[in-house]
Amino acid sequence: HNSQFSSRKTLMPTLLDDISIARALHVLAVVHWIGGVAMVTLVILPSLVRSIPAHDRLRLFERIEGRFGQQVRISTLIAGLTGLYMTERLGAWDRFADPSFWWMHLMLVVWAIFTVMLFIAEPLFLHRWFHDRATRDPEGTFRLVLRMHVLLLSVSLLAVCGAVLGAHGALP
């Protein structure tokens, strides 16, 4: 009989410290964010290309993506803030100087790409560029957007996989 697990009262402080809460929020934010990217990449974009006439595709995609875009801004913000908090609180900054923590570098790169896209590029020029290009060449534009989503999803999933393995000591 392990005394650590003898009562709920002694178990709770062990499980619900600030790092555990930050990690849980971080994982929830990443699941929403990257899961949404997977849904857009693997289901919505291919369905739009296959099933929706080119002249209706842009309007429907912008409606779906706009709703998800609002949500994912919050998720990426939470992921970034909790990642920063955990790195600072754990004194893990030195990991960025160690190549064996490549997964932390990749998480930061993926987060930075999405954050720049969502908060800077899209509002300043990307939304307008996409709309203009999709109006002129819907087929080519949606093929390009799908390829970019596949690339970003692939790199994101590599970061998630590396982070899970790395955080649990499975990587050198």
Side-chain angles (χ1 to χ4, degrees), residues 40-53:
V40 169
T41 304
L42 302 175
V43 177
I44 294 172
L45 281 169
S47 295
L48 286 173
V49 169
R50 264 195 320 271
S51 306
I52 305 298

Side-chain angles (χ1 to χ4, degrees), residues 75-133:
S75 293
T76 56
L77 188 60
I78 292 170
L81 290 172
T82 54
L84 176 65
Y85 179 81
M86 289 186 293
T87 303
E88 178 62 29
R89 177 76 167 71
L90 294 170
W93 292 107
D94 59 330
R95 292 179 180 184
F96 287 105
D98 185 344
S100 68
F101 286 97
W102 60 267
W103 49 274
M104 285 189 65
H105 302 95
L106 190 56
M107 281 194 303
L108 181 59
V109 166
V110 167
W111 177 83
I113 289 169
F114 276 95
T115 298
V116 167
M117 295 281 286
L118 291 166
F119 288 98
I120 299 170
E122 186 181 6
L124 289 180
F125 66 89
L126 196 57
H127 180 79
R128 185 173 50 253
W129 173 86
F130 170 75
H131 186 87
D132 292 347
R133 188 167 193 273

Side-chain angles (χ1 to χ4, degrees), residues 24-35:
L25 290 172
H26 190 76
V27 169
L28 288 172
V30 171
V31 165
H32 177 264
W33 161 28
I34 303 302

Side-chain angles (χ1 to χ4, degrees), residues 46-63:
S47 295
L48 286 173
V49 169
R50 264 195 320 271
S51 306
I52 305 298
H55 62 276
D56 293 330
R57 199 175 297 156
L58 176 62
R59 183 175 41 82
L60 183 56
F61 179 74
E62 285 182 331
R63 189 176 320 147

Side-chain angles (χ1 to χ4, degrees), residues 15 42 50 56 65-66 99 112 126 135 139 152 155:
L15 294 178
L42 302 175
R50 264 195 320 271
D56 293 330
E65 186 90 271
L126 196 57
T135 301
E139 298 300 329
L152 287 171
V155 174

